[in-house]
Amino acid sequence: MDELNFGQALSFIRRWQSGDQTFEFNTSGSTDHPKTVRLERWKMQLSAQRTIAALGLSENMTALLCISPQFIGGAMMIVRALVARMNLIIVPPARQPFEQLTQAFDFTAMVPMQLSELLKSGTPVQLQLLQESHHVLLGGAGVPDDLLDQIMPLRATCWSTYGMTETVSHIALRKLNGNSPTKSFQVLDNIKIKTGDQGQLVICDKITDDQWLETNDVVDIISEKEFVWLGRLDNVINTGGIKVMAEKIEVGIEKALRELYPDCRYFIAGMPDDTYGIAVTLFLECTSHVDEAGLLEKTRKQSTLFKYEFPKRLLVLEVFPETASGKIDKQQILKTHS
């Protein structure tokens, strides 16, 4: 057992059971400066009740905590277990989350990297424990297409989540497999949505004190309860006077990258450039030699991107720095290499 993770979880449980009314959490800081958000107990309870109702969770089910309770995603796993009177299993928030797991569970939350690592290197026993689960929430990052393909045949229902610390974890779920998977997020009960001037999602709910909260996420609203996530406002790259979405480019080049460098993480961002002002740049985490010209040419041939969306530059790093929550610290990388 990871003593730090167990100790943090136990400390939170004690505070909750003693009736503490406010809890503080740090945002991840993956795309902006980290900040501290103070959340009220009743908001966390309301969020938990919505998830419990949406997924049909009930007393005596078993919840697995395999992410850090220091952040809102992990803390809310504990709250859901307490509110629904579920049994709670605690394991270290490791890259391979089932290394110390010895029993089945009904419900868990993890980041996509953990599920990817589990499907790649898990033992038959570990994979069977996953198959015996009912619901897996995936948050903290987008779900890449190659992982989505692996998720499709799983018996466990996997959900992509949309939310943030300020909204007390997720406010919408997207079903990834099973019967009737969707491309869009379904908003949970009693939450209102609209778009702002730049196409960004704006949310109104009791949890936001009935005030409209602007997000940095560009969306396409399908109905009052449904939206498609397109990317982040701060990931819009103005290259040569044309605005492109970093997330769209990442999806477009994924096939080529997975064929050439299947185990390497990557992301797209803009970097200062004499020709374009800002150049679309591919950042690749890789310890082996990278054929820059060959990689960029392959991305051009195997994607449906427009000419102005193709990466113009490549920056290879042996190790990406990470935030405290385990996400790629893009701000630090851009600051260091600009």
Side-chain angles (χ1 to χ4, degrees):
M1 171 64 65
D2 182 280
E3 295 298 334
L4 179 60
N5 199 47
F6 182 78
Q8 290 173 337
L10 185 60
S11 176
F12 180 87
I13 292 170
R14 286 172 174 164
R15 289 189 60 198
W16 186 269
Q17 292 183 327
S18 69
D20 282 14
Q21 295 300 307
T22 59
F23 298 82
E24 291 186 348
F25 298 94
N26 292 323
T27 59
S28 64
S30 57
T31 57
D32 201 351
H33 298 295
K35 61 182 178 181
T36 300
V37 177
R38 176 173 291 185
L39 299 176
E40 294 152 286
R41 178 190 183 96
W42 70 264
K43 293 181 179 180
M44 299 174 72
Q45 191 158 358
L46 174 59
S47 174
Q49 290 168 339
R50 285 172 170 165
T51 301
I52 291 166
L55 301 183
L57 305 176
S58 61
E59 187 174 354
N60 294 326
M61 282 186 172
T62 300
L64 171 68
L65 176 66
C66 61
I67 54 179
S68 173
Q70 181 181 357
F71 296 95
I72 189 63
M76 285 306 301
M77 279 299 301
I78 298 174
V79 176
R80 294 169 196 136
L82 293 173
V83 170
R85 298 180 181 274
M86 292 187 286
N87 303 310
L88 182 65
I89 304 171
I90 304 172
V91 299
R95 187 182 183 99
Q96 214 288 38
F98 285 14
E99 286 181 341
Q100 296 186 26
L101 186 64
T102 59
Q103 65 185 92
F105 61 93
D106 297 293
F107 168 59
T108 192
M110 59 180 72
V111 297
M113 179 186 68
Q114 287 178 305
L115 182 56
S116 178
E117 191 67 26
L118 172 62
L119 293 172
K120 181 171 63 176
S121 63
T123 66
V125 172
Q126 291 169 348
L127 294 174
Q128 183 60 34
L129 292 176
L130 175 64
Q131 291 283 27
E132 292 174 2
S133 68
H134 293 154
H135 297 287
V136 177
L137 301 182
L138 295 172
V143 180
D145 285 348
D146 63 330
L147 178 56
L148 187 58
D149 290 340
Q150 298 174 66
I151 287 172
M152 293 301 289
L154 292 179
R155 291 202 303 270
T157 303
C158 296
W159 305 83
S160 180
T161 64
Y162 176 84
M164 61 200 76
T165 306
E166 293 87 341
T167 59
V168 194
S169 186
H170 56 261
I171 57 96
L173 296 171
R174 175 191 165 199
K175 191 176 183 182
L176 300 178
N177 65 345
N179 295 326
S180 304
T182 67
K183 296 290 186 181
S184 58
F185 283 93
Q186 310 295 314
V187 179
L188 299 182
D189 289 343
N190 301 315
I191 298 172
K192 300 175 184 177
I193 59 172
K194 66 179 183 180
T195 52
D197 295 340
Q198 301 181 74
Q200 76 273 31
L201 181 66
V202 189
I203 302 164
C204 184
D205 179 42
K206 288 182 179 179
I207 284 175
T208 65
D209 298 316
D210 293 317
Q211 302 295 313
W212 287 100
L213 172 68
E214 286 196 2
T215 74
N216 284 324
D217 295 286
V218 180
V219 301
D220 181 12
I221 292 185
I222 308 301
S223 72
E224 62 181 13
K225 288 295 182 182
E226 187 178 5
F227 67 87
V228 175
W229 182 82
L230 301 177
R232 290 184 60 86
L233 273 179
D234 41 17
N235 285 345
V236 173
I237 303 170
N238 189 334
T239 177
I242 300 175
K243 293 182 179 180
V244 299
M245 297 293 299
E247 290 85 358
K248 179 188 176 186
I249 300 171
E250 289 170 355
V251 172
I253 65 176
E254 180 179 6
K255 181 179 179 181
L257 279 167
R258 291 298 169 230
E259 288 183 6
L260 293 173
Y261 306 100
D263 297 322
C264 297
R265 294 189 293 176
Y266 69 96
F267 68 92
I268 291 289
M271 291 285 283
D273 182 83
D274 291 340
T275 302
Y276 299 97
I278 299 293
V280 176
T281 304
L282 168 60
F283 291 81
L284 183 67
E285 181 187 55
C286 193
T287 56
S288 59
H289 172 72
V290 174
D291 177 5
E292 178 174 351
L295 173 57
L296 293 179
E297 179 62 22
K298 195 173 185 68
T299 61
R300 294 187 185 98
K301 289 182 177 180
Q302 291 196 357
S303 77
T304 58
L305 297 173
F306 293 109
K307 182 178 180 180
Y308 51 81
E309 294 175 314
F310 291 125
K312 303 299 189 299
R313 296 173 56 186
L314 171 66
L315 183 61
V316 181
L317 302 178
E318 289 191 358
V319 179
F320 284 161
E322 296 181 346
T323 66
S325 61
K327 298 180 182 180
I328 298 173
D329 193 338
K330 298 179 183 179
Q331 292 298 315
Q332 180 61 41
I333 294 172
L334 293 175
K335 180 179 178 181
T336 302
H337 296 281
S338 292

